[in-house]
Amino acid sequence: MFILGKFRSVMKTEEGEVKVVSGYRWKGDPSPMHIGLVDMEPNTLLVPQYVDANLVIFVRRGHAKMGWICKKGKMAESRLRAGDVTVIPAGSAFYLINDCKDERLQAIASIDSTETLGFTTYQSFFIGGGRDPTSILSGFDPMTIASAFNVTMEELGFMMSQAGGPIIRMHPQPEDANKPNEDDDEDSTTKGSIWQRIFNFILGGSHHRHHGKNSSLKSSHAYNLYDKKPDFRNSYGSSVAVDESEYAPLKHTGISVYFVNLTAGSMMAPHVNPSATEYGIILDQTGEQ
């Protein structure tokens, strides 16, 4: 009753790839669901964009720096780590950086196409670009864009001349770049830093950093499954469930997240989910369903 197709590559460069598999929730349901796999090499950037679909992202491996447009048009930046769940609402511009020195970033995304323009498909709109990817601003005269967003022609030229694809490599980082760097300088000459400044200029918002555990915005932006006490545990495994009651950003997605850990030779008892379609992604080892 629920059949997934084959994975297809929607973004691919030498620095990383985004693959998506699609399927229908239920026989007769016209709205498909999509599952995306994000794989980025160390020291790379997924260029600023927005998608006409809600994204629920789970970080499987590695660390990342994400910038996004939050409430009141302000730009915020937060660090993500393995186990984090975060939500990017449809139409909210964002970028993603793997600034580790030697660790790949792997993430899984649930793509809710009910908010898309065509209802059955979704589309990325790139803010920065040139020949590859094409920027949504490319139809405007460069002088008009520079004047409108109060940026220099040099900064605009960097953004609009992008030809390396949606996932690009940044300049070399310091020797300790594999560790989260809480004191990055916004005026750094790295490509990632230039992207951050231009992104901020274009969207006209204040820039906020969120690093500490007590940051209210950060705590509402990401929820770590690995930090939560299991809802159920015995000698055969454990399970954790997170819904909108614990993580408010899930409210508008209609999605909850369920994490199961089974010991070798054990099984989850048969169960029925009467009001939702459930799909699972195997993170490690093998099993039968």
Side-chain angles (χ1 to χ4, degrees):
M1 286 184 281
F2 178 81
I3 301 176
L4 288 175
K6 294 182 179 180
F7 275 102
R8 59 190 177 90
S9 180
V10 296
M11 299 180 191
K12 186 175 183 179
T13 71
E14 293 182 355
E15 313 305 338
E17 183 177 16
V18 178
K19 297 189 296 184
V20 173
V21 62
S22 302
Y24 286 86
R25 293 179 171 87
W26 198 261
K27 185 177 181 180
D29 188 338
S31 57
M33 61 172 292
H34 313 276
I35 302 169
L37 301 181
V38 181
D39 196 329
M40 294 172 60
E41 295 292 334
N43 193 27
T44 55
L45 164 74
L46 179 61
V47 301
Q49 63 183 284
Y50 63 91
V51 181
D52 62 341
N54 293 317
L55 304 179
V56 180
I57 300 173
F58 169 75
V59 180
R60 176 189 178 189
R61 179 175 299 155
H63 293 81
K65 183 189 296 181
M66 175 175 284
W68 77 102
I69 301 304
C70 57
K71 294 180 180 179
K72 300 181 180 180
K74 293 183 178 180
M75 194 184 87
E77 186 178 86
S78 182
R79 286 203 168 270
L80 302 176
R81 58 190 174 93
D84 273 350
V85 173
T86 188
V87 175
I88 303 294
S92 180
F94 71 97
Y95 61 82
L96 187 65
I97 297 174
N98 179 7
D99 58 354
C100 292
K101 178 184 176 183
D102 54 10
E103 186 175 19
R104 294 171 68 183
L105 173 66
Q106 294 182 328
I108 300 167
S110 175
I111 307 169
D112 179 9
S113 61
T114 58
E115 298 292 329
T116 63
L117 298 176
F119 189 67
T120 58
T121 60
Y122 64 93
Q123 184 174 353
S124 293
F125 299 87
F126 295 96
I127 296 172
R131 297 187 302 274
D132 180 18
T134 301
S135 170
I136 59 173
L137 303 174
S138 60
F140 295 92
D141 181 87
M143 288 295 295
T144 301
I145 301 175
S147 298
F149 299 122
N150 192 29
V151 296
T152 68
M153 289 298 293
E154 181 181 0
E155 290 172 323
L156 182 66
F158 172 84
M159 183 184 72
M160 300 298 289
S161 64
Q162 166 65 24
I167 304 175
I168 60 175
R169 180 166 294 275
M170 299 188 296
H171 283 306
Q173 298 291 313
E175 289 298 315
D176 61 348
N178 60 314
K179 300 177 181 179
N181 183 357
E182 307 295 348
D183 300 313
D184 283 347
D185 185 352
E186 277 187 30
D187 293 326
S188 167
T189 58
T190 66
K191 288 184 179 179
S193 180
I194 295 174
W195 273 109
Q196 291 166 356
R197 291 190 291 113
I198 294 176
F199 191 53
N200 193 30
F201 287 145
I202 288 178
L203 293 159
S206 302
H207 188 274
H208 298 270
R209 292 185 127 89
H210 301 276
H211 302 298
K213 292 184 178 180
N214 295 325
S215 169
S216 59
L217 194 82
K218 181 179 180 181
S219 62
S220 66
H221 184 66
Y223 189 105
N224 194 277
L225 291 178
Y226 300 160
D227 289 345
K228 183 185 177 184
K229 182 179 179 181
D231 298 304
F232 173 82
R233 181 198 293 273
N234 64 15
S235 9
Y236 304 108
S238 62
S239 64
V240 170
V242 176
D243 59 21
E244 63 183 69
S245 66
E246 294 179 280
Y247 183 45
L250 289 172
K251 180 178 181 180
H252 301 292
T253 68
I255 293 175
S256 298
V257 183
Y258 192 45
F259 180 75
V260 179
N261 192 347
L262 297 176
T263 60
S266 61
M267 88 176 234
M268 175 179 281
H271 65 283
V272 175
N273 195 331
S275 60
T277 297
E278 181 179 310
Y279 66 87
I281 299 173
I282 305 302
L283 301 179
D284 196 16
Q285 302 302 321
T286 60
E288 294 182 3
Q289 184 176 18

